[in-house]
Amino acid sequence: MQLSFYKYQGTGNDFVLIDNRQETFPKNDTKLVNHLCDRRFGVGADGLILLEHDAEHDFKMVYYNADGNESTMCGNGGRCMVAFANFLGVIQNETTFTAIDGKHYATIKDDIVHLQMQDVSTIELHENYVFLDTGSPHHVTFKEEIDQFDIKKEGAEIRYGKPYFQEGANVNFVKKISNTEFRVRTYERGVEDETLSCGTGVTAVAIAMHHLKETTATEITLQVEGGTLQVSFERDETSYKNIFLKGTATYVFKGEISC
Ligand SMILES: N[C@H](CCC[C@H](N)C(=O)O)C(=O)O
């Protein structure tokens, strides 16, 4: 089978994007998705995302981790899908689309995408970490020596350990830079390694830092390995709302692969 794909990246979190509006992609073929994401035998990516028709909104995104399994919301992938939909002419400069965690409003100008994330009303405070779900599950913990530690080892120990076990969680290590800026490195579930950026992850970090009173800002800059992201939000007495993840989403190349 010949498969056309597009490669996009959002602050270094990279994806194989496929226009599946004709519904020809074998969606249950876990081995195929894993192969396409393989950085030596396939295209290479942190994940694969299908663009499909949606009954109510402009399009639907279906997200798969590099391990081949369909997974929960991908914030950087959502931003790349908005850029892809704009490139295909499916949308102009604003959209509402459907993902596994519900509908998302987004705007695009040049290659900057502002993506609205789901509201967050449950935040678990633990002794040395915070857990919250921003469309994907995130464990957030401080790491002073953020440049000098084995993120794959320490990230995997947390991701597979209690209370996550096989279902897992994404693990975000944070260092405060200022009241409005934090450095984040993320070990991603389903990639089972560090990614250069994690959209739902930096969203979780921004909200956790505000909740812990590490910041009074409601527009926060997150320095990630692959670049810089902004997260803005409003806080009412019960939840975080109007949460936006903002940053570049870039077309890299188009290709054909036989598989
Ligand atoms: N690996 C995540 C999904 C992708 C999250 C990340 N790439 C993002 O940008 O939000 C999980 O299985 O929970």
Side-chain angles (χ1 to χ4, degrees):
M1 170 175 75
Q2 277 293 100
L3 191 69
S4 290
F5 68 87
Y6 292 77
K7 189 81 194 301
Y8 275 72
Q9 59 85 14
T11 49
N13 203 192
D14 64 335
F15 308 99
V16 171
L17 302 188
I18 292 170
D19 177 357
N20 195 40
R21 287 177 287 175
Q22 305 308 316
E23 300 197 16
T24 53
F25 187 84
K27 295 173 74 168
N28 298 322
D29 192 337
T30 305
K31 279 183 67 177
L32 172 63
V33 174
N34 178 247
H35 169 77
L36 291 170
C37 292
D38 188 289
R39 295 194 184 280
R40 288 176 177 78
F41 295 103
V43 177
D46 292 330
L48 180 143
I49 320 178
L50 303 179
L51 186 148
E52 298 188 339
H53 284 302
D54 184 78
E56 288 177 67
H57 300 113
D58 292 335
F59 63 89
K60 176 183 176 186
M61 72 174 266
V62 183
Y63 180 77
Y64 299 80
N65 276 317
D67 64 6
N69 296 312
E70 187 177 348
S71 193
T72 46
M73 181 55 183
C74 178
N76 287 327
R79 296 190 303 104
C80 288
M81 285 303 278
V82 171
F84 185 42
N86 173 272
F87 169 82
L88 293 175
V90 173
I91 65 168
Q92 298 308 311
N93 290 92
E94 70 176 327
T95 180
T96 300
F97 66 92
T98 304
I100 194 166
D101 65 341
K103 70 178 182 178
H104 291 265
Y105 171 76
T107 62
I108 178 168
K109 188 169 185 299
D110 302 327
D111 68 346
I112 307 281
V113 178
H114 291 195
L115 173 65
Q116 184 165 12
M117 308 300 280
Q118 302 306 339
D119 295 351
V120 173
S121 49
T122 306
I123 302 174
E124 292 177 19
L125 295 182
H126 296 266
E127 194 179 332
N128 61 3
Y129 71 92
V130 177
F131 177 81
L132 63 165
D133 190 308
T134 53
S136 283
H138 286 279
H139 176 111
V140 177
T141 189
F142 286 103
K143 177 61 76 175
E144 198 47 40
E145 297 304 318
I146 198 161
D147 273 325
Q148 280 99 26
F149 77 108
D150 185 343
I151 187 169
K152 190 163 180 177
K153 178 176 178 292
E154 290 193 34
E157 283 167 359
I158 296 168
R159 173 259 185 274
Y160 284 106
K162 187 177 174 190
Y164 309 119
F165 304 122
Q166 193 50 41
E167 186 183 341
N170 302 281
V171 187
N172 302 274
F173 299 93
V174 189
K175 182 171 184 174
K176 183 170 181 174
I177 296 171
S178 73
N179 180 50
T180 59
E181 196 166 334
F182 295 83
R183 172 99 183 273
V184 184
R185 292 182 68 186
T186 303
Y187 174 98
E188 261 197 60
R189 171 182 75 164
V191 180
E192 304 312 339
D193 202 344
E194 178 177 21
T195 55
L196 299 185
S197 164
C198 179
T200 51
V202 296
T203 303
V205 167
I207 290 168
M209 293 302 108
H210 188 272
H211 196 68
L212 290 173
K213 301 190 178 2
E214 290 286 341
T215 177
T216 55
T218 56
E219 170 100 32
I220 295 172
T221 297
L222 295 307
Q223 295 296 347
V224 294
E225 297 303 283
T228 301
L229 288 164
Q230 266 79 36
V231 172
S232 61
F233 50 79
E234 293 166 14
R235 171 91 172 100
D236 68 19
E237 56 285 352
T238 59
S239 63
Y240 286 87
K241 297 176 181 300
N242 275 335
I243 303 168
F244 277 85
L245 169 65
K246 309 170 189 177
T248 53
T250 307
Y251 168 84
V252 185
F253 62 89
K254 174 183 185 331
E256 297 273 339
I257 183 167
S258 60
C259 45

